[in-house]
Amino acid sequence: MGNSVQETVARRCCCLSSVSVFLWDPSTENARPRVRCAACSSWGGAASRFLTGKYFYEERGILSMANEKKVAREPSFLLALIPIVAMIGFMLYCFLGHSESGYHDAHMPLVMSIVVACIVGHFCGHDFKDMLAGMIERLSASMEAVLILCTVGFLVSSFMASGAIPSLIVYGLDLLTPKLFLPIGCILCAIVGMACGSSWTTTATIGLAFLGIGAGLGINPALTAGMIISGAYVGDKFSPLSDTTNLAAAVAETGLFDHVTAMVSSTGPTLVIALILYTIMGLNIDASAYDPTVAQSIQDAFREAFVISPVLLIPIIVVIVMCILRVPGLVGIAISVATATIFMMIFQPTSIYGSRALGDIFNMLHNGIVVETGNEVADSILGKAGGMNGTMWTINLILLALAYGGALERCGCVERLFGGLKHRIHSVGSLILATLLTSIFCDATMCDQFLGIGVPAPIYADKYDELGLGRNMLSRSLEDAGTLWAVMFPWTGCGAYQTGVLGMSPLVFFPYAFVNLLNPVYAYVTALFGRNIFWADGSYTNIFGKTKAGKPAGAPEEAHAKALANLEARRAAGKAPKINA
């Protein structure tokens, strides 16, 4: 009985004396404890419910850990695939499997996939409360992004009502020339995308106008569509108003403007490369067929409905300043909304927003504005200013996507599918490649960009800390692939939407969407050679290999401390660059 455990309990023997409980071999699974009377030394076996190994013996009796959770196990590889396969099946059915009069949103496939993930979790030993806790944990980590998305609705409406976005479009269209249609069009799509925070809105509005202009120039429609997609997604990534931008920052647990700043380092150079390619292709275009009336009609429609002035671009400049100063997301958006609302009240007629009464201003921010110009493209752009209510569809989808990711993580599917890969990563280049490929895999198999961002984040977050990287490096990598490649698959939500808007499959315009196509490649190649890297202490290794000091990106306190310690150790070992004087 050398390893036995003895405790006195308030249990009586037949001689009315106390007894003691002995665990003969605690290491033996389900070994039965035996009791010995302290007075008469008689032995007896404990009841079958008092099994050792998972039970404690306390004063006042032998008490079992009745509430101890069932031991969970990791799912097999095939079992881990079931929620993924279910998601693919539900998404394909909704987007490709039935008539146009049916259901074509991603929400219900996500709901059903959550149910499937919970069932898989049950077979792996997780009860529903445990699965729910996993979903809530993932949702809690992203609630700031949801709150920011609510305020983004305010921002889009106030920017539209103030005349900031209409002025931007009017002046931007003045820059169009036949030979420079492709590069200028890409830049304008990026500007509009950044202003409204949505690639979908950009393609459905000014993108459609550019399709018409491109057709008049005799340009291959696939080339024009690729240019539109490139510009729209650059604007979407750079915009603090974008849902994916906010989501990536939230799941990586870094600051919104820290994330935006990091994205400039990969998407900015890629945009320059794309513009060079579009310029070369545009110089070979025959300009004789150019019809300027399409752009002119859009400008006239905005000028009739709004006061157009360069001064009205100030609210957009305020947003850019907020990014540069790295003001917290909610604070920066609140300042921008206040600025745009003041400009609206000063410059625009009350016919746009009702009156200067507080109730009408609240209504504009909550429900958006309704302005009809008679021009189809202009009205389509204005129709996107739906206020906070206009963001509810996206917020619902994000909440469900996060819950699905949390369920996959809790039941062990994510770790089972990707955990082995993570443990083989020992360099920054391989980590960036793994993140990019995982995001693309999630885009293709889970059919949604929110899952392409949300699912990989918890898999690799601790690995970024282990290599001494900033959390904005994680958020940047998630968007470099998760956002930009989601549109490349016809069966994803993004791909299906753009197919409907542009009138062609992503497989057709894919070769010409240079930003989307090249951005993950650029991000990986530069990281492979130790360039373009943000470190945990805020230092940044630029494309020339020089490491300059900077302000650390936002991160959880414990994770940041761990990343700093690991960075110091790697620098001491010569595995990370030291800051240049």
Side-chain angles (χ1 to χ4, degrees):
M1 297 192 301
N3 294 326
S4 64
V5 177
Q6 178 175 334
E7 300 229 8
T8 301
V9 297
R11 183 178 175 190
R12 300 289 179 178
C13 180
C14 58
C15 69
L16 303 181
S17 297
S18 298
V19 297
S20 296
V21 176
F22 289 86
L23 291 173
W24 285 95
D25 187 2
S27 65
T28 303
E29 183 68 18
N30 294 334
R32 292 177 182 271
R34 300 192 65 188
V35 296
R36 187 178 76 168
C37 178
C40 65
S41 298
S42 62
W43 288 91
S48 60
R49 66 181 179 278
F50 300 133
L51 299 180
T52 67
K54 298 188 178 70
Y55 296 88
F56 295 106
Y57 301 90
E58 302 176 352
E59 237 179 74
R60 303 196 169 214
I62 302 177
L63 301 177
S64 71
M65 292 178 65
N67 294 325
E68 182 173 327
K69 294 181 180 178
K70 183 179 178 181
V71 177
R73 63 179 179 84
E74 188 179 77
S76 66
F77 187 83
L78 290 178
L79 193 61
L81 281 176
I82 289 178
I84 308 294
V85 174
M87 167 64 77
I88 296 173
F90 290 130
M91 286 288 188
L92 290 178
Y93 171 76
C94 287
F95 289 106
L96 302 176
H98 58 93
S99 67
E100 294 185 1
S101 62
Y103 184 84
H104 295 283
D105 289 325
H107 297 64
M108 289 311 300
L110 278 169
V111 171
M112 297 305 298
S113 300
I114 290 171
V115 173
V116 173
C118 289
I119 293 173
V120 170
H122 174 75
F123 281 111
C124 294
H126 298 275
D127 58 23
F128 178 71
K129 288 184 178 180
D130 191 30
M131 295 297 296
L132 182 61
M135 289 185 271
I136 292 175
E137 181 180 340
R138 180 49 47 196
L139 288 166
S140 298
S142 304
M143 282 311 297
E144 182 181 0
V146 174
L147 292 175
I148 289 176
L149 278 174
C150 289
T151 60
V152 162
F154 301 154
L155 194 58
V156 174
S157 287
S158 61
F159 271 35
M160 199 71 77
S162 68
I165 293 178
S167 295
L168 183 67
I169 294 173
V170 168
Y171 294 129
L173 289 175
D174 282 335
L175 300 175
L176 280 181
T177 63
K179 290 292 185 182
L180 297 179
F181 167 73
L182 289 174
I184 295 298
C186 184
I187 292 173
L188 290 177
C189 284
I191 292 173
V192 173
M194 183 175 178
C196 65
S198 171
S199 58
W200 289 21
T201 298
T202 304
T203 57
T205 53
I206 194 171
L208 288 177
F210 285 157
L211 272 180
I213 295 172
L217 290 171
I219 299 175
N220 180 359
L223 175 57
T224 304
M227 174 272 289
I228 294 168
I229 290 293
S230 289
Y233 275 80
V234 168
D236 187 295
K237 284 190 66 178
F238 285 173
S239 176
L241 319 182
S242 167
D243 46 14
T244 53
T245 301
N246 282 278
L247 176 62
V251 296
E253 298 181 84
T254 192
L256 173 61
F257 294 118
D258 295 326
H259 169 52
V260 173
T261 302
M263 285 194 296
V264 174
S265 66
S266 60
T267 307
T270 308
L271 174 61
V272 172
I273 296 172
L275 291 177
I276 293 173
L277 294 174
Y278 288 134
T279 300
I280 294 172
M281 301 177 82
L283 292 176
N284 297 318
I285 292 176
D286 180 8
S288 60
Y290 177 60
D291 181 8
T293 59
V294 177
Q296 185 63 48
S297 64
I298 298 172
Q299 291 176 309
D300 292 342
F302 279 123
R303 285 195 174 102
E304 290 177 6
F306 293 87
V307 173
I308 303 297
S309 169
V311 176
L312 295 174
L313 300 177
I314 291 178
I316 296 175
I317 296 174
V318 170
V319 172
I320 297 173
V321 172
M322 294 298 105
C323 292
I324 295 173
L325 297 179
R326 294 189 178 183
V327 176
L330 285 170
V331 176
I333 289 177
I335 293 173
S336 302
V337 169
T339 303
T341 302
I342 292 171
F343 275 62
M344 174 194 74
M345 296 169 62
I346 294 174
F347 292 99
Q348 299 302 333
T350 55
S351 59
I352 291 176
Y353 55 91
S355 73
R356 292 184 175 86
L358 187 61
D360 282 336
I361 294 175
F362 283 170
N363 184 64
M364 178 274 295
L365 294 172
H366 188 184
N367 299 308
I369 60 173
V370 178
V371 179
E372 295 183 359
T373 66
N375 181 279
E376 184 177 353
V377 175
D379 288 346
S380 180
I381 294 173
L382 293 170
K384 301 300 179 181
M388 184 175 67
N389 271 351
T391 65
M392 288 300 108
W393 185 95
T394 300
I395 288 175
N396 290 340
L397 184 61
I398 287 177
L399 292 176
L400 290 171
L402 290 170
Y404 175 65
L408 287 180
E409 184 180 2
R410 182 52 60 98
C411 70
C413 293
V414 171
E415 183 65 26
R416 183 67 181 85
L417 293 174
F418 301 105
L421 173 64
K422 181 175 70 173
H423 298 311
R424 297 177 182 178
I425 296 172
H426 303 291
S427 67
V428 175
S430 60
L431 177 58
I432 298 303
L433 178 61
T435 307
L436 296 171
L437 293 179
T438 304
S439 289
I440 293 173
F441 172 82
C442 291
D443 280 341
T445 60
M446 300 180 188
C447 310
D448 191 86
Q449 63 180 345
F450 298 120
L451 296 176
I453 294 171
V455 172
I459 301 176
Y460 299 113
D462 59 340
K463 203 68 182 180
Y464 280 77
D465 299 335
E466 182 181 318
L467 295 182
L469 298 171
R471 281 299 181 94
N472 56 342
M473 192 71 180
L474 168 60
S475 63
R476 188 195 80 180
S477 301
L478 293 171
E479 285 228 73
D480 282 339
T483 297
L484 293 179
W485 273 60
V487 69
M488 298 303 192
F489 303 102
W491 54 86
T492 65
C494 294
Y497 174 83
Q498 300 298 356
T499 297
V501 170
L502 300 175
M504 65 188 75
S505 168
L507 300 179
V508 176
F509 62 68
F510 178 93
Y512 304 107
F514 297 135
V515 171
N516 303 60
L517 187 64
L518 298 177
N519 201 97
V521 178
Y522 179 86
Y524 168 62
V525 171
T526 53
L528 179 65
F529 290 100
R531 306 290 195 270
N532 200 24
I533 299 172
F534 289 87
W535 302 98
D537 62 351
S539 59
Y540 168 65
T541 302
N542 62 27
I543 194 65
F544 303 107
K546 301 293 184 181
T547 301
K548 301 294 184 181
K551 181 182 177 182
E557 185 176 346
E558 183 178 346
H560 184 58
K562 175 185 174 183
L564 287 175
N566 290 332
L567 177 58
E568 286 300 315
R570 289 178 64 82
R571 279 178 173 162
K575 296 181 179 180
K578 296 181 180 180
I579 297 176
N580 299 113

